Amino acid sequence: QPAIDFLSKQSRHSHPPQIQGQILEMLADLAERAGDSPLALESWRQLFAKPGTVTPERAVRATVLAITHGHNQQGLAWLEQARQQ
């Protein structure tokens, strides 16, 4: 939990885009492993709201999480977003 708390705080600070993306990706991964799917999904949403952050690898990981938690449309939208980049 301390790592999630730290990354949550860091995600609210202003960082260069690449660093901010890494923070949100790490937060999503840790939250998912800790069983906090809502936080993981929200972290992916925040990350993907920024231009150029959706990669095929990220989109697949986020989509699997979204679909397994009943957010099918969100997952498919992320895959489509990755395909278009």
Side-chain angles (χ1 to χ4, degrees):
Q1 188 63 39
I4 290 174
D5 293 341
F6 174 78
L7 289 172
S8 290
K9 288 178 187 172
Q10 289 300 308
S11 73
R12 292 187 289 273
H13 292 267
S14 180
H15 294 285
Q18 185 174 354
I19 301 297
Q20 186 70 18
Q22 291 172 347
I23 290 169
L24 287 167
E25 185 174 6
M26 286 187 289
L27 180 57
D29 287 339
L30 280 175
E32 182 177 4
R33 281 188 242 141
D36 191 345
S37 300
L39 177 59
L41 286 167
E42 183 55 32
S43 298
W44 286 120
R45 283 185 193 106
Q46 288 177 25
L47 175 61
F48 293 161
K50 299 171 187 342
T53 58
V54 181
T55 64
E57 178 188 84
R58 285 176 169 170
V60 167
R61 288 172 32 222
T63 296
V64 168
L65 177 67
I67 289 174
T68 58
H69 289 86
H71 301 279
N72 300 350
Q73 292 296 70
Q74 179 70 78
L76 294 174
W78 287 336
L79 287 176
E80 182 62 27
Q81 197 175 349
R83 189 181 69 78
Q84 291 177 358
Q85 288 189 11

